[in-house]
Amino acid sequence: MLFRSLQLTNGYANLTSEAVINDGNWHCVSVTWDGNIAYMWIDGGLSATAALGGFNITNQFTSIGGYYDGSSWTGYFDGDCVMKFVAINSIIYTLDDAQSLYNNFLPIINSTNLLLSLDASTYSGSGSTWTDSVSGRNFTLYNSPTWSPNNGGYFTFLPSSSQYALCPSSLPTLSNWSVEAWHYYTGNN
């Protein structure tokens, strides 16, 4: 599992876990950055840490399914990825938070600290906008990811079709943050 963040001065920073998540099951992935150290939890367990002083997700594109390398879109999922929910908070998740997310199959909804919330169950079934229910940072769906109403609603992003979602407006500058996502992945880790 790879989480990539743009460092405005040093290129990309990666947080990588060796956990196997392409097993045909839903997984909860949470990433937290406290300003110095990044943590990744998968299904409520700590899966990776790294000292990444400039590991920032703010003042840049926020995308799902691919990333912009400065000249073109690249880095698509290596296999089909199904996304159900994505949220960004301006707080640091603890191990208890990560375990609660996984055990309850629910996102952390804290209106004070929630910056972005994408829930596939709220999608209308047509159009190219995945609506952010918190701040209006709506994501545009490119190359027609498939939406299904099954299992509470989800999007499938196919790398063979260069499918991704992009938020054109940046997040505020944060000294720490957390990202959570529920997904089902069929490709290589």
Side-chain angles (χ1 to χ4, degrees):
M1 177 72 202
L2 169 70
F3 183 88
R4 173 167 281 180
S5 174
L6 175 66
Q7 293 178 294
L8 297 176
T9 57
N10 299 323
Y12 293 98
N14 295 326
L15 180 61
T16 306
S17 168
E18 298 300 319
V20 176
I21 59 168
N22 61 348
D23 58 2
N25 294 306
W26 285 98
H27 293 280
C28 180
V29 177
S30 304
V31 175
T32 287
W33 181 61
D34 68 7
N36 294 303
I37 299 174
Y39 304 85
M40 181 187 296
W41 291 281
I42 297 178
D43 295 340
L46 185 62
S47 187
T49 62
L52 299 169
F55 195 59
N56 205 344
I57 61 169
T58 58
N59 294 324
Q60 62 178 318
F61 296 114
T62 304
S63 63
I64 300 167
Y67 62 87
Y68 190 71
D69 70 2
S71 62
S72 64
W73 282 93
T74 185
Y76 299 104
F77 290 123
D78 185 14
D80 301 350
C81 185
V82 179
M83 300 295 292
K84 182 176 199 59
F85 181 85
V86 179
I88 300 176
N89 284 280
S90 62
I91 58 172
I92 300 170
Y93 287 173
T94 64
L95 177 59
D96 288 341
D97 292 330
Q99 290 172 341
S100 178
L101 283 167
Y102 176 65
N103 292 330
N104 296 311
F105 200 76
L106 294 170
I108 293 176
I109 300 296
N110 180 327
S111 60
T112 303
N113 298 303
L114 190 61
L115 299 174
L116 181 139
S117 177
L118 300 171
D119 186 343
S121 71
T122 64
Y123 182 68
S124 68
S126 65
S128 62
T129 301
W130 190 1
T131 303
D132 167 25
S133 63
V134 174
S135 62
R137 291 182 180 92
N138 298 333
F139 278 58
T140 301
L141 301 166
Y142 288 91
N143 302 317
S144 304
T146 304
W147 178 79
S148 170
N150 297 331
N151 206 13
Y154 58 82
F155 284 100
T156 301
F157 293 88
L158 304 174
S160 60
S161 299
S162 302
Q163 296 173 336
Y164 63 97
L166 172 68
C167 180
S169 58
S170 62
L171 296 167
T173 300
L174 302 172
S175 57
N176 51 61
W177 49 262
S178 295
V179 174
E180 61 188 86
W182 276 98
H183 69 97
Y184 175 99
Y185 189 60
T186 62
N188 299 320
N189 276 327

